Amino acid sequence: MTSIEGPSGESFGPTARRMVLGTQLRRLREREGVTRAEAGYSIRASESKISRMELGRVGFKERDVVDLLTMYGVDDPEERAAFVELVKQSNQPGWWNRYNDLMPRWFDDYVGLEEASQRIQTYELQFVPGLLQTEDYARAIVSHGRPESRDDDVERRVAIRMRRQKLLNRPEAPRLWAVIDESVLHRPIGGRKVFKEQLDKLLEMTTMSHISLQVVPYRLSGYSAEGAFTLLRFAEPELPNIVYIEHLAGALYLEKLADFELYSRALDRLAVDAETPERSRTTIAKIRADL
């Protein structure tokens, strides 16, 4: 059974563990020629539940996994114990669990996957990417432009965003490659003072070797992609690369290779249309100086 650890040996979060566990169970089932319906019947569940388990979309019960291992012919005590341990780890809450009253389920999954990623590629048309936002800029967005009326929920939502940013400062942090539309740099979210500080942070963060930012100029914007999206890539071979697309009612997670390649090509085109990271920094610095 494949071990699952993150960069520098830290354990992945529960979302990634569920996905790895589900993938391993699917491989065992397919090896034995067992259908999802047959597997579901063996644990008193439906075929659709087995599908959700194999995609890591639901939590795992130790009894269910033990019964499936028996059905799949896994009788080695050490291998079975490793699966049981992974079940326990996959059910442990991540750091974001204390914010579950504020976070929709679809975003809970995203934060877990973001924590486990090796490379994050994102395209934004309206805002500075969340991982690069200042606290006040994030507060202006979360409060819908009324930071003076902020309450405890607003502050906790901002705290989630600031906590997510810590992954960029850890040893062997994921590579972040962000492409933004030039309009983002002319939209003074939070007012002049807040926006100047936000531009300062972009200039600071892009001096880090694992962070790249490119700006798509007005004359070329709007051609290569219709909306914002993020690509998450993983070092762990059992985790599929994922396209994440957020909308008002929820989010889409696209895992099929064809879908991922489609968005990957779109991001490649955006990178070609955009200014280089060096020229993008010059553009940001000029806009900052003119404020």
Side-chain angles (χ1 to χ4, degrees):
M1 179 177 177
T2 304
S3 62
I4 174 166
E5 291 187 339
S8 300
E10 74 269 19
S11 294
F12 280 152
T15 306
R17 294 192 189 106
R18 287 199 308 270
M19 292 180 69
V20 170
L21 179 54
T23 298
Q24 292 174 337
L25 288 173
R26 175 180 57 78
R27 288 176 178 172
L28 289 173
R29 177 181 61 76
E30 292 175 346
R31 183 191 69 185
E32 295 300 309
V34 176
T35 67
R36 288 193 179 95
E38 292 168 338
Y41 183 80
S42 74
I43 62 169
R44 303 154 296 281
S46 65
E47 179 178 353
S48 63
K49 180 177 179 180
I50 294 296
S51 178
R52 292 194 301 274
M53 289 173 65
E54 292 181 352
L55 290 171
R57 293 289 186 262
V58 294
F60 291 85
K61 294 180 180 179
E62 183 176 324
R63 182 186 67 179
D64 289 344
V65 172
V66 168
D67 288 347
L68 288 174
L69 292 175
T70 298
M71 186 180 196
Y72 300 158
V74 178
D75 52 16
D76 179 78
E78 290 187 5
E79 188 174 2
R80 290 171 69 92
F83 271 99
V84 170
E85 178 59 28
L86 189 51
V87 171
K88 293 176 181 177
Q89 292 176 3
S90 71
N91 290 325
Q92 292 174 359
W95 63 260
W96 53 93
N97 184 68
R98 63 181 180 274
Y99 299 106
N100 275 356
D101 59 318
L102 298 175
M103 291 171 56
R105 174 62 184 169
W106 47 264
F107 192 67
D108 178 281
D109 286 340
Y110 177 77
V111 174
L113 292 169
E114 184 180 66
E115 285 274 312
S117 64
Q118 182 185 52
R119 190 175 190 186
I120 303 168
Q121 299 169 274
T122 188
Y123 173 56
E124 284 286 352
L125 298 88
Q126 188 170 3
F127 303 118
V128 168
L131 291 176
L132 298 175
Q133 291 177 7
T134 66
E135 189 171 328
D136 285 337
Y137 184 93
R139 184 174 290 112
I141 294 172
V142 172
S143 64
H144 304 291
R146 297 189 296 274
E148 71 282 353
S149 62
R150 64 184 188 242
D151 56 20
D152 184 57
D153 282 356
V154 167
E155 292 305 302
R156 293 177 66 215
R157 290 179 191 277
V158 172
I160 295 171
R161 193 158 302 182
M162 296 302 103
R163 175 60 180 80
R164 284 172 52 209
Q165 294 181 4
K166 289 187 176 182
L167 68 85
L168 294 176
N169 295 316
R170 71 189 185 194
E172 300 181 36
R175 171 84 182 178
L176 173 63
W177 175 27
V179 180
I180 63 173
D181 191 84
E182 185 179 350
S183 62
V184 173
L185 302 177
H186 295 278
R187 189 174 294 113
I189 300 291
R192 183 170 176 271
K193 179 178 182 294
V194 168
F195 195 58
K196 286 175 69 174
E197 292 173 350
Q198 177 61 74
L199 296 181
D200 286 338
K201 178 163 184 173
L202 289 181
L203 292 170
E204 175 190 353
M205 296 294 285
T206 52
T207 62
M208 303 172 74
S209 61
H210 62 292
I211 298 176
S212 296
L213 176 66
Q214 292 183 259
V215 178
V216 179
Y218 279 131
R219 69 182 186 277
L220 294 174
S221 67
Y223 294 113
S224 297
E226 298 176 353
F229 61 91
T230 297
L231 307 181
L232 299 177
R233 299 176 185 267
F234 306 92
E236 170 58 53
E238 307 226 337
L239 292 178
N241 294 326
I242 288 175
V243 181
Y244 173 78
I245 306 169
E246 192 172 313
H247 53 83
L248 285 176
L252 298 175
Y253 292 84
L254 306 179
E255 301 176 17
K256 292 182 179 179
L257 182 59
D259 292 333
F260 188 86
E261 289 181 345
L262 177 66
Y263 278 88
S264 183
R265 288 195 297 270
L267 197 56
D268 288 342
R269 290 193 298 270
L270 285 163
V272 171
D273 291 342
E275 302 285 2
T276 65
E278 293 75 18
R279 289 181 62 87
S280 296
R281 280 180 50 80
T282 299
T283 297
I284 295 170
K286 185 178 185 303
I287 294 172
R288 166 65 175 83
D290 291 341
L291 283 176

